[in-house]
Amino acid sequence: MSKQPDMQTETEDEGDVSPEEYVALSDFTGAGSDQLTFSCGDRLLVHAKPSSEWWWAEVREVIGYAPASYLRERATDEEEEGEDDACPDDPWQDEEYFGSYGTLRLHLEMLSDKSRTEAYRQVILSNSASLRNKVVMDLGCGTGIISLFCAQLAEPSLVYAVEASSMADYTRQLVKQNGCEEVVTVLQARAEEVELPEQVDVLVSEWMGNCLLFEFMVESVLQARDCWLREGGVMWPSSAALTLVPCQAHSYYEEKMAFWERPYGLDFTPLQPLAQQEFFTKPKFSHLIEPADCLATPSDVILLDMYTLQVKDLEEIKGQFHFCVDKPGSFHGFTAWFTVHFDSLETGGATVELNTGPHAE
């Protein structure tokens, strides 16, 4: 494995710290030579946690990187009794998923995304008059930021802030701290299990993940819509699109390749083919692309209408695209981003857009 020496040194420096034993929640196939491949139920020894997403682990005497989200800490023998055959089909539907949202790390990341948070704030502000006396569901409310926006910027009769994770306990405190407890009711429940005393006029949720659908929370949003959104109610976001464009990324590519030329005055060029393989097999998140790096006109490959989209439609999503590369350049891969639109509550009112692409401000 290409980075094994670095991780071994790190674990040696930690002294007598023993590796932690984890269990795989789902099958995983490594995309590169330094990523592990394992099956649901396999036991892995985690030697180091260099990042929150990827851990340095060992399975069947092979060492490499494993995605942290696919692992859970091994239970005691008593807790595991009778559970050897129990393995969830999808790790994102497991308790580990909701457990991760019970910590501040993910919420800090989301709240620090100013363009997203401000888009929701602007939607509520521009519809403040129409939200008066309306009933709102904020699904997957997290810290309750959207519910608090509704309570402070508009005059809804009630906001149901629904959160499945343990963060709900803190959300109640935040609601009270900001004087919104008469408007906002926090409910700790999954979307599929929540019970409301009434249907809602507006269902708002910040469900979009990387490449729009990562984490697949959209399924829960659709189920909540079918159960609790009244006829003629409004979905926020109202529509969504995933966009692709072939691009070049010279500075990032050169950064990854140049390091292996002569680090510390030594010739490491034999590692450059491996570095190139890793570059083309691992996605780079939060990549900032300049419009000049686009090699063709961007194309929407997935379009979702949040009013008509059905859960069964999510079983197989197909997107078609055709690119005509009309400028010279080096093709390093595709850049993906999403755009969502929020319908106005007023007929003919302005639509608010959240665009995470290269032309977004």
Side-chain angles (χ1 to χ4, degrees), residues 111 117 120-121 124 131 135-163 171-172 174-176 178-187 202-206 236:
L111 292 176
T117 306
Y120 279 86
R121 183 177 183 276
I124 295 164
L131 278 171
V135 179
V136 179
M137 175 193 283
D138 177 8
L139 186 63
C141 68
T143 58
I145 185 71
I146 297 175
S147 297
L148 295 173
F149 284 161
C150 287
Q152 293 194 342
L153 301 177
E155 297 180 12
S157 61
L158 194 61
V159 178
Y160 294 107
V162 181
E163 172 60 33
T171 306
R172 292 188 183 96
L174 294 173
V175 168
K176 184 176 181 180
N178 287 275
C180 299
E181 64 268 31
E182 292 186 3
V183 177
V184 179
T185 298
V186 180
L187 302 172
V202 178
L203 195 165
V204 57
S205 181
E206 205 286 276
W236 283 343

Side-chain angles (χ1 to χ4, degrees), residues 16 53 61 73 81 87 106 188 199 210 214 219 242 292:
D16 298 329
E53 290 82 17
E61 299 184 352
E73 195 166 6
E81 186 176 355
C87 194
L106 287 175
Q188 184 173 1
Q199 290 193 307
N210 290 319
F214 185 69
E219 180 176 353
L242 176 66

Side-chain angles (χ1 to χ4, degrees), residues 1-7 28-38 44 50 54-59 62-67 256 260 274-283:
M1 299 296 173
S2 62
K3 296 183 181 179
Q4 181 176 342
D6 294 337
M7 291 297 101
F28 177 78
T29 302
S33 59
D34 62 347
Q35 293 183 15
L36 294 175
T37 294
F38 49 81
L44 290 79
W54 292 94
W55 293 347
W56 191 247
E58 177 181 353
V59 60
V62 177
I63 296 179
Y65 284 106
K256 294 297 182 183
W260 299 106
L274 180 58
Q276 185 181 55
Q277 178 187 359
E278 291 186 6
F279 177 88
F280 286 112
T281 55
K282 291 183 179 179

Side-chain angles (χ1 to χ4, degrees), residues 9 21 40-41 44 70 80 85-86 88 101 165 173-174 176 188 214 238 250 296:
T9 301
E21 189 166 352
C40 177
L44 290 79
Y70 278 68
E80 284 190 337
D85 297 328
Y101 278 90
S165 78
Q173 297 179 38
L174 294 173
K176 184 176 181 180
Q188 184 173 1
F214 185 69
S238 311
H250 285 296

Side-chain angles (χ1 to χ4, degrees), residues 86-152:
C87 194
D89 294 332
D90 185 344
W92 293 108
Q93 298 299 321
D94 188 75
E95 291 179 359
E96 295 295 317
Y97 171 70
F98 296 108
S100 67
Y101 278 90
T103 64
L104 281 179
R105 181 182 62 83
L106 287 175
H107 296 287
L108 174 62
E109 180 180 331
M110 291 186 291
L111 292 176
S112 299
D113 190 336
K114 189 173 182 180
S115 61
R116 283 199 190 201
T117 306
E118 284 293 341
Y120 279 86
R121 183 177 183 276
Q122 183 57 40
V123 169
I124 295 164
L125 189 60
S126 62
N127 287 275
S128 57
S130 300
L131 278 171
R132 182 173 300 168
N133 298 324
K134 294 292 193 298
V135 179
V136 179
M137 175 193 283
D138 177 8
L139 186 63
C141 68
T143 58
I145 185 71
I146 297 175
S147 297
L148 295 173
F149 284 161
C150 287
Q152 293 194 342

